[in-house]
Amino acid sequence: MINIFEVHETNKMIEQEKLDVRTITMGISLLDCMDSDLARLNEKVYHKITSYAKNLVRVGREIELQYGIPIVNKRISITPASLIGSAACHSPEDYVTLAQTFDRAAHEVGVNFIGGYSALVGKGMTPSEEHLIRSIPAALACTERVCSSVNIGSTRTGLNMDAVRLMGDVVKATAEATKDHDSLGCAKLVVFCNAPDDNPFMAGAFHGVTEPDAVINVGVSGPGVVKYALEQVRGENFEVLCETVKKTAFKVTRVGQLVAQEASARLKIPFGIVDLSLAPTPAVGDSVAEILQEMGLERVGAPGTTAALALLNDQVKKGGVMASSYVGGLSGAFIPVSEDQGMIDAVNEGALTFEKLEAMTCVCSVGLDMIAIPGDTPAASIAGIIADEAAIGMINQKTTAVRVIPVIGKGVGEIVEFGGLLGYAPIMPVSRFSCEGFVNRGGRIPAPIHSFKN
């Protein structure tokens, strides 16, 4: 039973500490839409998405009004497009028509993003998957709400270095295709290792093939709530620090559980998971960096940063799993540079470097996220960045990802504005030394020895 104290406490978290439900994401399987005729495929896809998600935005707003809980985004994730298009799409151009259908459906139902223009190529690529990957620059340039992701490896399969090298080219081509908008297309493209099937957050969301026909997943955010809680225990020991984060994560997750169950009941679609990820925004006071600084760091990037982030991530997960039996997705702390004012400040002051961010990804929930880099960065160097990050995920049995934005026409120190939740970012330097001989070798990096657990 919820008591009046808990009601007041939740209201305070919402009104003063920037607690929100970042997204309700409806996952929709499109496997039953497969067809060898491209026109029929597009018709089936459009009909299923618009039929299933027609009430998603309305229900989200009703829950907001009834409970006073801000729900920032309503989104859709779909079966990886390379699977559903395999029989009908025989060229990159065919896949672009499918992306346009996804975009029209997203516009029709009013969601802000649709994720799943994706391919899972951890061990190799089919011709269909390669066509989709090569279509990504054109697809993201001609759509507004479509998000794309490619999984290029896992702990069980190793790393597909052919796909890694190709994605270096694709990221660069996407930047070129959207250069009139500061290469914004790259903000809707993620390269994964160990991608989860139930992630509700964009740009990496897709509806995994092991998922039901449709499902409701909710992503909760609350950096401001955690920061406020830590302000109350300033100077206390690590035991108190850990307990405070854990208890706060529990409370935040309960809010997400409530919203997920309500959305599931009203839409008559099964509840999947709550993803408790501390996802920051550019707003002051809604920053993961500020949490780490409240722990005692002068700036993010100072010695001790990785340890502080590891503590935060672990306690968030521990609190979350006590609050819901179905915590999933990524669930931890995100460190996107452009979306976190504290991270931006640390970069501008020279406290936070690209290399330190990479070290931090060993213990956080995702990886190198929303980082602007010079537009003249070679495609091979981008592939090397992807390989480094994927290796961290593969060896540590965790999800890692790369969402870097080579901003065409801009260089180190310049600022790029993305707008909205995507924020703005200073362009960070990348090593000038080449890795082309390494990433051009081709083939696969095999799975690590500890992956063999059968």
Side-chain angles (χ1 to χ4, degrees), residues 287-405:
S287 162
V288 170
E290 290 177 10
I291 295 173
L292 302 179
Q293 287 160 195
E294 184 58 44
M295 289 183 182
L297 304 174
E298 181 180 2
R299 269 286 181 224
V300 171
T305 296
T306 305
L309 182 59
L311 180 158
L312 175 65
N313 215 47
D314 184 54
Q315 298 307 312
V316 163
K317 291 178 188 290
K318 286 173 177 173
V321 297
M322 289 299 293
S324 173
S325 297
Y326 299 102
V327 171
L330 299 163
S331 290
F334 290 2
I335 52 171
V337 173
S338 78
E339 299 171 17
D340 188 314
Q341 186 61 50
M343 296 287 180
I344 295 167
D345 293 341
V347 171
N348 286 333
E349 292 181 21
L352 186 60
T353 64
F354 199 95
E355 290 73 22
K356 185 62 176 180
L357 278 164
E358 185 177 292
M360 292 164 66
T361 66
C362 296
V363 299
C364 77
S365 287
V366 191
L368 296 169
D369 195 20
M370 287 302 294
I371 299 173
I373 60 176
D376 60 359
T377 303
S381 295
I382 296 171
I385 291 167
I386 294 169
D388 283 344
E389 197 59 32
I392 289 171
M394 175 182 71
I395 295 296
N396 290 296
Q397 305 177 68
K398 69 184 291 292
T399 302
T400 51
V402 172
R403 185 164 49 151
V404 295
I405 303 151

Side-chain angles (χ1 to χ4, degrees), residues 5 7 12 14 17 33 36 42 53 120 125 158 162 181 214 231 273 303 336 355 373 391 420 432:
F5 173 76
V7 171
K12 182 182 176 186
I14 293 167
E17 300 163 23
C33 297
S36 59
N42 279 296
L120 311 180
M125 285 183 284
D162 292 327
H181 302 282
E231 287 173 357
I273 57 95
E355 290 73 22
I373 60 176
R432 62 185 175 84

Side-chain angles (χ1 to χ4, degrees), residues 171-183:
V171 170
K172 192 68 183 283
T174 302
E176 288 281 358
T178 57
K179 64 182 179 181
D180 291 342
H181 302 282
D182 280 334
S183 303

Side-chain angles (χ1 to χ4, degrees), residues 150-162:
V150 178
N151 189 79
I152 50 78
S154 72
T155 300
R156 292 304 299 262
T157 64
L159 304 183
N160 180 352
M161 290 302 292
D162 292 327

